[in-house]
Amino acid sequence: MQEIPVWQSAELCYHSVKSYDTEEKPWKTVQITAEFCSESGTKLVIPGFWDGGNVFKVRFAPTEKGEWKYVVKSSLPELEGEQGAICALPPEEGNTLYTHGGFLKASENGRYITYTDGTPFFYLSDTLWFIPGTVKMPPEVLGPCIEKRKQQGFTAIVIGYIEGSPGKQIQEYYHKTGDIDPAFWKVADDCFRTILESGMTIVAQPMWADAETWPTDAEWEDLLDYMTARYCAWPIHYGMGPEFDSKPKQESGLDERSLKMLAYLRKQDPYHRAYTTQPNPWNLDTTRKDWACPAVDVVALEGGHEDPWGIHTSYYKQAWEHERGGRHTPLIILETVWEGIMRHQFPPHSAYTIRYNMYRAFLSGCMGMSYGANGLWYPRSTEDDDVYDRDWGVSPVWDVALQFPGADSMTVLKNLFSSLKWWDICPLFDGGVPSPDIEPPYPVEETPEIMPQVTRTNQVIPFPSDKDNYRIPSVAAFEQGRKLVIYIPQCKSKTSPVF
């Protein structure tokens, strides 16, 4: 009998009499599922997947200890009725995804994210869009990135299902070829294992592309069915994006279809984990349709990269007070002032800009933080690799970007709030009195030495006219009303950050 600790994945492998090729589309034409039943009577029906040739697999993660008996249901006679049992051992200590269960949930009060067993989960992610793959994120790049973020206490990696160069995306490839390409997913397996074994979960954003290359609903269902079958037993989470409700996607109707596909994916999930989506920046025509969508378990807010000031306090307040059916929804912040990105007349976003925005977000009720570094979200391999310089500013090569100091600031933030009962936060939106001595990031700060030199204009950029909406210090209450005030001074030294 196969033994596996609770929350970890066991793999059943079967071989059909016939070997299939992609033209026969066995991921659609061959049905295979396995029904698992625990000693207590809990039942889970897990879909299987084609792994190339004559190989079919089922991956299963037990949710309670003891013996789980299973029986296979298949359209292939040679697989129909296969039976067996798995012994689920107590959860292992060490990797918290497997100690507490990595199928993340919304808390009962709708204010934060939890592990499967209800333990609060501190969401802190880095963004590596070009995972999985071997072109931009080969093992010699992925390994050091994951090890560094593990050391810094990150708990999630956001990926984009992009392989290689811009435009080569899994949904676009499937739309053009009709090929599920098991070789791609085997590479993905290796990438995902590297991340998960480090103790970080994965948040996948598969819905890229525009209307011209957007798959049909039936093609999307094929892809999402395959992703569910292959990874439902792994602690991988999905968020449709990025910018599912951008203006072009609104005009083409892709925003509605994104939410429709999210609802479809959520319905297929036997483990009922939390789902989210990435909206357009708060001040760029976002529709807030995700706030009302029942398939969205965690609401994400995006500040974008256009300026260093991030999201209005008033917008945070609206999100915090919003209810859906009389219930709140956990908030996280995504893609906001990534370090090293340069837009318009502003200098590259600095570690101070990161601190200013992330502390404000946390004390405004966002129970999840997302970091990004220019040179890593698209892993720049050489100085000549300038594909995104025009849009986002000149970035260093990936191993330099990996050392940006803003990621260390995120570690300090996590350690500070982890010393408190951060999940009991109650923002005090009127508690901070704006002070002339405590300003938002000013757009003439010096460029840190670690970032590339860029050409500047001498234009003076004024602060937003409604500066009170970016007030600091920020204030929140914790632990039965005790107040926490965060004051974020801007550091004048390039080598001695002040927290």
Side-chain angles (χ1 to χ4, degrees), residues 317-337:
K317 185 176 182 180
Q318 292 171 38
W320 174 261
E321 294 176 347
H322 177 76
E323 294 184 1
R324 183 200 303 149
R327 178 179 171 81
H328 294 291
T329 309
L331 304 175
I332 60 174
I333 188 169
L334 296 178
E335 197 155 341
T336 298
V337 295

Side-chain angles (χ1 to χ4, degrees), residues 59 126-137 142 157-175 180-193 195-196 201-209 215 220 222-242 262 265 273 275 278 376-379 388:
R59 289 171 175 166
D126 193 8
T127 311
L128 304 174
W129 284 133
F130 285 76
I131 294 175
T134 57
V135 178
K136 300 306 298 182
M137 267 287 174
L142 178 64
I157 298 293
V158 180
I159 71 168
Y161 278 119
I162 307 173
E163 160 70 358
S165 59
K168 191 176 181 183
Q169 303 158 10
I170 185 58
Q171 80 284 355
E172 184 177 348
Y173 176 81
Y174 188 67
H175 179 60
I180 206 71
D181 190 9
F184 170 86
W185 298 104
K186 291 175 182 179
V187 169
D189 285 357
D190 292 338
C191 292
F192 295 168
R193 285 191 184 99
I195 298 170
L196 298 175
T201 189
I202 296 168
V203 179
Q205 302 265 21
M207 287 201 166
W208 291 68
W220 264 123
D222 289 347
L223 275 171
L224 298 179
D225 285 346
Y226 192 82
M227 292 179 196
T228 297
R230 193 166 191 115
Y231 298 120
C232 71
W234 292 13
I236 297 175
H237 300 79
Y238 288 89
M240 297 309 178
L262 184 68
L265 180 61
R273 74 205 76 198
Y275 288 81
Q278 182 176 342
L376 269 187
W377 65 265
Y378 170 77
Y388 286 113

